Amino acid sequence: MKKSILITGGARSGKSTLAERRALRDTGRAIYIATAEAHDAEMAERIAAHRARRGAQWTDRAAPRDLCAALAETDGGDPRLVDCLTLWLTNLMLAEADWRAEGTRLAALLDAQSAPVVFVTNEVGSGIVPDNRLAREFRDAAGWLNQTLAEACDEVWLAVAGQPLKVKPHDHPF
Amino acid sequence: MKKSILITGGARSGKSTLAERRALRDTGRAIYIATAEAHDAEMAERIAAHRARRGAQWTDRAAPRDLCAALAETDGGDPRLVDCLTLWLTNLMLAEADWRAEGTRLAALLDAQSAPVVFVTNEVGSGIVPDNRLAREFRDAAGWLNQTLAEACDEVWLAVAGQPLKVKPHDHPF
Amino acid sequence: MKKSILITGGARSGKSTLAERRALRDTGRAIYIATAEAHDAEMAERIAAHRARRGAQWTDRAAPRDLCAALAETDGGDPRLVDCLTLWLTNLMLAEADWRAEGTRLAALLDAQSAPVVFVTNEVGSGIVPDNRLAREFRDAAGWLNQTLAEACDEVWLAVAGQPLKVKPHDHPF
């Protein structure tokens, strides 16, 4: 079963837990592709907490920037969980990489994957317009990336209070 | 087919693209009613980008404040797309107009329209409570306007990562 | 009919109105359990506006911190409306209480209730990451509380522009 799944949601909406459950569902084993880099103590703490929650069914791998290569190299076996696209985007922006080209390339390679991929991403655009321009640009980029991946994925889910709400596929008149 | 449709979503959730697709769907032609005013360079850039994406199927019209008149004058022909209610509200507030009366009047006139109207609006209330009082007041006003229009519209959709999620009509026990 | 219902949504998404309608639906009477404390004039104004909208079908009760006791004492009769969990969490944090223990205790007692409970809560995690650490910690705590209650409740709804979107129960492959 080849399938690509996007799980989006706000901070602490339970999206990572849902993604982990879904990645493990069929075979009881999965590859965890972490995009996080510990830039400060708070982030290091979050990474450690996430890792502590995961058990022996997981193989870990880091891919702060070259996510396309990580997917190519891990294809053919267990399902992959990518957690998360928003941090990947942050890393690309900090490295002044061409994030738009990278996002387009990522979406384009999904169709050729033979093992499932579950992506976690964040809703960041439903608050009041941020005061500073950088935050607005990041918000625009994150929204673009979410749309691009959602278009390419077979399923899209919105995590609300830890519960999955189906966004795609769905009948609609658009 | 007379129909009024509200499409809401966060920043860069793909709501304008969905609204454009829906407005063009039946006849391949539509009237674009823009509420945006270019207050600064960033906004001018966004308006230009939006306009560049639209093609020859569109007739353009500006209605930064008198949206009720614009709907009355364009009724009877092609579907109308109003993009967006949140900027319209901003313009009314900046002009110190009675936005609550205007919103109520807008909702009340939908039933008598003979051509479809698609409204785009924004979710701005799902972040942390803003520090400054003005932002909180705007958030309250935007929420009130969204509720008022959603109540009056035949359909409501939430854009999530570019995908439409049906909010109304829906069976529910409320 | 014993039932616990969680209604979440952004600011001014219409969640309180939906919750009031649902609490009154079966018997036309309900108990309003307010968690709000008027810390300042703006809050006092909001509390007064909420109270003004409610009519004689309501019995009022305040429970800024001891919500578990309030539920135990009001059980067995009319449905209860708790408005809202986010303010309750704020009060617990300000009092330096063990909010995690309190939230766990609240979720655990739902199963034994004989009269319905409708909870109102807030989505606060779908904006850009807040600058200050305290806001991020509150966001994390609010997300945890929402997940914990959603897991324990029979129904979960997301209010979008005043319309209820069903989140739980729902068929899903997670």
Side-chain angles (χ1 to χ4, degrees), chain A residues 39-56:
Chain A
H39 296 295
D40 56 33
E42 188 180 346
M43 186 65 89
E45 211 176 284
R46 287 196 177 225
I47 293 175
H50 266 221
R51 189 184 295 259
R53 220 190 35 230
R54 297 191 309 269

Side-chain angles (χ1 to χ4, degrees), chain A residues 10-126:
Chain A
R12 296 290 151 129
S13 61
K15 53 200 188 304
S16 291
T17 305
L18 289 171
E20 290 166 21
R21 228 145 72 193
R22 184 66 189 273
L24 291 174
R25 194 194 60 174
D26 291 328
T27 64
R29 292 179 44 83
I31 300 166
Y32 188 91
I33 302 179
T35 61
E37 283 187 306
H39 296 295
D40 56 33
E42 188 180 346
M43 186 65 89
E45 211 176 284
R46 287 196 177 225
I47 293 175
H50 266 221
R51 189 184 295 259
R53 220 190 35 230
R54 297 191 309 269
Q57 308 127 298
W58 292 93
T59 310
D60 280 20
R61 191 190 165 104
R65 272 172 304 272
D66 204 351
L67 187 50
C68 292
L71 286 180
E73 287 162 25
T74 56
D75 196 22
D78 291 327
R80 280 79 45 88
L81 166 55
V82 176
D83 194 351
C84 71
L85 290 177
T86 319
L87 284 173
W88 178 61
L89 177 66
T90 307
N91 295 338
L92 291 175
M93 286 179 139
L94 288 174
E96 294 181 11
D98 186 346
W99 54 266
R100 203 175 277 267
E102 286 294 308
T104 304
R105 198 154 71 93
L106 178 63
L109 65 74
L110 290 185
D111 207 42
Q113 296 285 301
S114 63
V117 197
V118 183
F119 294 100
V120 174
T121 193
N122 285 262
E123 292 298 303
V124 298
S126 294

Side-chain angles (χ1 to χ4, degrees), chain B residues 6 8 123 125-128 133 136 139-140 143-144 146-147 150-151 156 158 165-168 170 172-174, chain C residues 7 10-14 18 21-22 25 42 46 123-127 130 135 138-139 157 160-165:
Chain B
L6 180 72
T8 187
E123 291 298 303
S126 294
I128 211 80
R133 181 167 184 134
R136 288 197 298 276
R139 198 169 74 140
D140 285 356
W144 174 86
N146 286 355
Q147 288 187 47
E151 184 65 35
V156 178
L158 176 66
L165 186 55
K166 205 207 300 196
V167 175
K168 179 185 174 183
H170 230 292
H172 61 73
F174 288 84
Chain C
I7 303 180
R12 295 289 150 132
S13 61
L18 289 171
R21 228 144 73 193
R22 185 65 189 273
R25 194 193 60 173
E42 188 180 345
R46 287 197 177 224
E123 291 298 303
V124 298
S126 293
F138 180 73
R139 198 169 73 140
W157 298 84
V160 176
Q163 308 292 318
L165 186 55

